[in-house]
């Protein structure tokens, strides 16, 4: 195997891979010095990079919410003659000032009840075996061959083997083991 092939088989982080791809990408029709300048522009503090889009959207969103709340409260609490004197003649009736928030609260409460109801419908009954086993259940390897020994011997052996034992793969605890722990051997 040649050295270039073995170098390409090295596992790299995604950040290293992207930087290597950018450096290998051919850029035709531009001199070498322009390519280097565009790839690494000089930065002078936070002002050079500009605000983040999430900051801009957050600022615009907060200003919009404050303005909409102020307009809603002015429309809801101002008497109709005061609005007409300001030249505002086209607006919904005051009924909607109470109806929209009331309908929104009822819709929220009903959606929460529908969500709870759908969870109750999707949950199997407690007597169903699907609460114990399903297609994703994993039995612990070697669980059937487990040998029961007294606690003192088991603790001494366990301390010696702790450093050598690998981490077991993730698995479910069998219902027989749970019953044995909860109710003992009967």
């Amino acid at each position: 195997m040649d050295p270039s092939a073995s170098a390409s088989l090295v596992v790299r982080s995604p950040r290293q891979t992207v930087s290597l791809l950018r450096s290998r990408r051919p850029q035709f029709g531009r001199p070498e010095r322009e390519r280097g300048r565009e790839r690494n522009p000089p930065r002078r503090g936070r002002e050079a990079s500009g605000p983040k889009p999430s900051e801009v959207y957050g600022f615009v969103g907060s200003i919009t919410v404050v303005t909409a709340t102020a307009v809603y409260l002015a429309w809801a609490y101002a008497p109709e003659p005061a609005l007409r004197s300001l030249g505002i003649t086209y607006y919904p009736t005051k009924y909607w000032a109470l109806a929209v928030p009331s309908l929104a609260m009822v819709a929220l409460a009903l959606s929460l009840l529908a969500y709870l109801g759908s969870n109750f419908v999707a949950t199997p009954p407690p007597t169903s075996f699907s609460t114990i086993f399903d297609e994703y259940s994993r039995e612990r390897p070697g669980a059937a061959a487990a040998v029961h020994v007294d606690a003192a011997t088991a603790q001494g052996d366990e301390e010696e083997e702790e450093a050598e034992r690998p981490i077991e793969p993730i698995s479910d605890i069998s219902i027989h083991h749970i019953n044995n722990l909860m109710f003992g051997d009967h």
Side-chain angles (χ1 to χ4, degrees), residues 50-72:
K52 296 178 184 176
S54 59
E55 292 175 354
V56 173
Y57 294 146
F59 177 73
V60 170
S62 64
I63 295 296
T64 303
V65 166
V66 167
T67 304
T69 303
V71 168
Y72 171 78

Side-chain angles (χ1 to χ4, degrees), residues 80 83-92:
E80 290 186 25
L83 292 174
R84 277 193 223 111
S85 68
L86 294 173
I88 302 171
T89 58
Y90 184 75
Y91 51 87

Side-chain angles (χ1 to χ4, degrees), residues 11-66:
V11 177
R12 293 189 168 92
S13 71
R15 189 172 289 154
Q16 288 175 330
T17 305
V18 170
S19 67
L20 285 175
L21 288 175
R22 285 183 183 156
S23 65
R24 290 183 187 173
R25 184 179 302 150
Q27 297 178 359
F28 301 105
R30 295 193 320 215
E32 183 69 32
R33 62 179 185 268
E34 284 183 20
R35 282 187 246 155
R37 247 186 281 142
E38 184 178 299
R39 193 170 37 219
N40 299 321
R43 296 186 184 231
R44 293 185 180 99
R46 186 165 169 82
E47 304 84 38
S49 63
K52 296 178 184 176
S54 59
E55 292 175 354
V56 173
Y57 294 146
F59 177 73
V60 170
S62 64
I63 295 296
T64 303
V65 166
V66 167

